[in-house]
Amino acid sequence: MSQQVKHPTNYSALSTLVTVFFFWGFIAAGNNVFIPFCKNYFHLDQFQSQLIDFAFYTAYYIGALLLFAYGAFGGKDLVGKWGYKKSIIYGLLFSAMGAAAMIIAVNANTFAGMLVGLFIVALGFSLQQTSAQPFAISLGDPATGTSRVNLGGGINSFGTTIGPIVVAIALFGTTAAITDEKIASLSLSKVIVLYSCVGALFIAAAALFYFSKKVPAGFLVEKVESGTKALYTLLIMTGLLVIMFVPVFSSYKTDPNNLNDVEKHALEAYRLKWLLGALAVVVIGLLVANISSKKNAEGWGAMQYPQLVLGMLAIFVYVGVEVAIGSNLSELLKQQEFGGFQSSEAAPYISMYWGSLMIGRWAGAVNAFKLSDRTKILLQIIVPLIAFAVIIGVNTVAQYDMKPLYYYLICVLIQIVAFYFSKNKPARTLMIFGVLGILAMVIGTQTTGIVGTYAFLSGGLFCSIMWPSIFSLSIAGLGKYTTQGSAFLIMMILGGGIIPPIQGKLADIIGIHQSYWIAAICFVYLAFFAFVVKGILKRQGIDYDVQESAGH
């Protein structure tokens, strides 16, 4: 083996790069406050409000699919051709176009137009995310690449923590006592101001990258591996998904307030049927691909590996459950048995949920550094407590009453213990946190009040480290197909566009509280994946006891 040349970390470029990680978290988490605002203003039901997540996360799938299709047909990696730097600049400018589309839609007072704007913003994010993570690894010694990606993940999580607070202040003002009736009467001019600022930040970040001479171009010259059968399978799945989504979209304008009980039930069943059909397309499509590739691996590219195909479904489920818990949380907290909070009053709870992801990711980042075992254990106790204090502090500065969340520290301590027993092994970590996620959702569905609220919030703690664990287990042993496999995994962020609307529709039928059984089922699959993937890798001669993580 040739000796690998170690390069010093380009901290100037890295500090510029992590700004895009912040944007992903800020905008995505901000949607969780934006959802109840749109629900009240446009008089939407819970399902209709979840179309915001649908538009946002479906764009990730479409964007990654287009990049893969270009490589399959053109024989070149588009991101590699442009270089990481230009790809991120183009992605930021594309997101700025989405912000402009949002402003136009707001002026036209059209919810559909706002969905299109969010879709364009997320298309830009798809290009940014495909570029930024490998770019972070390339900015120094590959042996310390994980620490740079985890740094980006920590900044991303900080964005998810303050996103709901900033958006809540921008839309609702500084007081937490705004009623839903006042929210419904708010002028959309505040949304115009919000997205004018967001668009300006995108352009400023693009300019920062463009004029920074210390940020390298990041060109990547690598032959794209063939995967025509995989491409055709994904295109067929996409066509079937369109067929499933058209009836759902065609019914979103229907005002449930104008329907009688029988008509409401029929509409709910109609929407749920097509959404479950979309879920079936993804699950069956991936399983059929895996079975077919076992018979003849030629043309399947990375999809010939069962760990990747099952991992694609795991990423789909993970992103779906992470988004669904947070997106439906505001509606849950409106229920009297959960406190009867107004939408703006729920902002600190939403912030704590997304902050729980930050707590876990900060703790997980400790393992990225070369430290003694004793130091690692000490930091895995201290760092989560510091992250928890940051969340409490940020919300307190925003003048929210955080006293009801002080005892959430108990959940953080449970996560610290889980980290200790996981021993930094991805399969074991995913199994432990998957089981804890199941227990949390079951407890949440069977209780109310502060216990139920804490249980659902802790879903963020147990989701926090799942992306790197799933990602590393899924691409283990792929060799020359690693880059292609990574692109397939990013496509499965689509789960954030399908699972939340399914929970939203189920909430319209059986109530928001019991709809969280969807989250419990998702955690069951994640625990199952952790159980079977270790055996799959062992049969391929891979003993995967050392974590090799990526970040999201």
Side-chain angles (χ1 to χ4, degrees):
M1 292 181 65
S2 61
Q3 187 174 2
Q4 192 174 40
V5 179
K6 294 185 178 182
H7 301 285
T9 299
N10 186 338
Y11 288 105
S12 177
L14 184 61
S15 62
T16 303
L17 178 61
V18 295
T19 58
V20 297
F21 284 83
F22 176 83
F23 282 138
W24 302 335
F26 180 88
I27 299 299
N31 285 348
N32 291 283
V33 177
F34 192 53
I35 284 171
F37 171 77
C38 288
K39 180 177 180 180
N40 282 277
Y41 189 91
F42 292 102
H43 306 290
L44 308 174
D45 61 23
Q46 187 63 11
F47 161 76
Q48 291 169 324
S49 69
Q50 296 302 301
L51 291 176
I52 290 174
D53 277 334
F54 174 86
F56 192 80
Y57 289 97
T58 300
Y60 276 93
Y61 173 82
I62 298 299
L65 178 61
L66 290 174
L67 288 174
F68 172 57
Y70 178 90
F73 289 126
K76 285 187 178 181
D77 182 354
L78 187 59
V79 171
K81 178 182 176 181
W82 285 343
Y84 293 138
K85 180 177 179 179
K86 283 188 177 179
S87 296
I88 292 173
I89 292 172
Y90 295 155
L92 286 165
L93 293 177
F94 209 84
S95 293
M97 290 172 56
M102 280 287 291
I103 295 171
I104 294 172
V106 169
N107 279 320
N109 201 26
T110 167
F111 180 61
M114 294 169 76
L115 294 178
V116 172
L118 282 172
F119 182 85
I120 297 172
V121 169
L123 273 180
F125 281 9
S126 178
L127 179 55
Q128 293 167 43
Q129 181 141 189
T130 303
S131 310
Q133 297 192 64
F135 197 15
I137 294 173
S138 72
L139 292 176
D141 181 5
T144 59
T146 298
S147 64
R148 292 188 291 278
V149 174
N150 277 323
L151 173 63
I155 298 298
N156 173 275
S157 294
F158 183 67
T160 64
T161 301
I162 70 171
I165 297 173
V166 174
V167 174
I169 292 174
L171 295 180
F172 307 146
T174 58
T175 176
I178 299 176
T179 64
D180 288 340
E181 290 75 16
K182 289 182 179 179
I183 292 171
S185 65
L186 284 175
S187 171
L188 284 178
S189 61
K190 288 193 174 184
V191 182
I192 294 177
V193 173
L194 175 65
Y195 274 91
S196 295
C197 294
V198 168
L201 287 174
F202 286 143
I203 294 173
L208 183 64
F209 270 87
Y210 182 79
F211 290 108
S212 177
K213 295 181 179 179
K214 294 185 178 180
V215 178
F219 292 113
L220 182 65
V221 181
E222 184 177 326
K223 183 181 180 296
V224 177
E225 297 294 338
S226 174
T228 52
K229 290 181 181 177
L231 175 61
Y232 292 143
T233 299
L234 289 169
L235 290 176
I236 292 171
M237 285 172 57
T238 303
L240 291 174
L241 286 172
V242 171
I243 292 173
M244 298 297 172
F245 290 148
V246 166
V248 174
F249 270 105
S250 64
S251 67
Y252 96 91
K253 290 185 178 180
T254 303
D255 187 353
N257 296 321
N258 296 330
L259 304 177
N260 58 41
D261 290 341
V262 175
E263 291 172 331
K264 284 182 180 178
H265 180 76
L267 178 61
E268 290 164 356
Y270 177 80
R271 287 171 170 170
L272 186 59
K273 176 182 69 176
W274 289 106
L275 284 170
L276 291 175
L279 179 62
V281 166
V282 174
V283 175
I284 295 174
L286 291 177
L287 294 180
V288 168
N290 183 232
I291 293 171
S292 300
S293 65
K294 286 181 180 178
K295 297 178 180 178
N296 183 5
E298 184 180 355
W300 282 103
M303 276 193 178
Q304 66 188 274
Y305 295 91
Q307 65 266 34
L308 176 71
V309 177
L310 294 178
M312 290 171 68
L313 188 55
I315 288 290
F316 178 90
V317 168
Y318 152 72
V319 177
V321 69
E322 175 189 292
V323 176
I325 293 174
S327 295
N328 288 284
L329 192 58
S330 179
E331 183 66 20
L332 177 77
L333 294 174
K334 286 182 182 179
Q335 311 307 308
Q336 288 302 316
E337 60 268 30
F338 282 92
F341 296 107
Q342 300 294 331
S343 295
S344 58
E345 293 173 318
Y349 290 87
I350 295 171
S351 177
M352 181 59 76
Y353 171 74
W354 290 106
S356 295
L357 294 165
M358 182 180 78
I359 292 170
R361 288 172 180 172
W362 282 18
V366 171
N367 292 315
F369 301 94
K370 294 181 179 179
L371 303 168
S372 68
D373 291 340
R374 178 178 294 181
T375 303
K376 284 184 178 180
I377 292 173
L378 183 62
L379 287 177
Q380 284 186 336
I381 296 173
I382 295 174
V383 170
L385 298 179
I386 292 174
F388 177 72
V390 168
I391 298 165
I392 294 293
V394 168
N395 281 276
T396 301
V397 170
Q399 298 183 343
Y400 288 112
D401 179 14
M402 298 303 291
K403 291 180 182 178
L405 288 167
Y406 285 171
Y407 291 104
Y408 186 66
L409 180 63
I410 296 172
C411 299
V412 177
L413 295 175
I414 292 173
Q415 187 199 49
I416 291 172
V417 174
F419 266 119
Y420 176 77
F421 284 105
S422 68
K423 302 297 181 183
N424 197 26
K425 297 179 180 180
R428 179 187 292 186
T429 300
L430 188 59
M431 171 65 78
I432 291 174
F433 279 73
V435 170
L436 287 174
I438 296 169
L439 291 175
M441 295 304 105
V442 171
I443 292 172
T445 56
Q446 301 305 305
T447 60
T448 57
I450 198 66
V451 174
T453 301
Y454 279 13
F456 290 130
L457 289 178
S458 68
L461 292 172
F462 306 134
C463 280
S464 60
I465 47 71
M466 285 188 168
W467 174 279
S469 297
I470 297 169
F471 202 101
S472 57
L473 291 166
S474 300
I475 63 173
L478 265 60
K480 63 181 179 181
Y481 295 106
T482 298
T483 301
Q484 191 180 95
S486 299
F488 289 157
L489 290 171
I490 290 174
M491 287 182 195
M492 290 298 102
I493 292 176
L494 171 70
I498 293 180
I499 292 178
I502 288 178
Q503 182 178 345
K505 187 67 266 159
L506 193 62
D508 290 331
I509 298 174
I510 66 173
I512 188 67
H513 185 191
Q514 295 305 312
S515 73
Y516 274 85
W517 278 107
I518 291 290
I521 294 171
C522 290
F523 280 118
V524 168
Y525 176 77
L526 292 168
F528 167 78
F529 172 73
F531 177 76
V532 301
V533 73
K534 191 171 183 179
I536 291 172
L537 294 176
K538 277 190 175 181
R539 288 192 292 273
Q540 296 176 12
I542 303 170
D543 187 7
Y544 211 70
D545 284 337
V546 179
Q547 183 180 21
E548 302 169 359
S549 65
H552 174 243

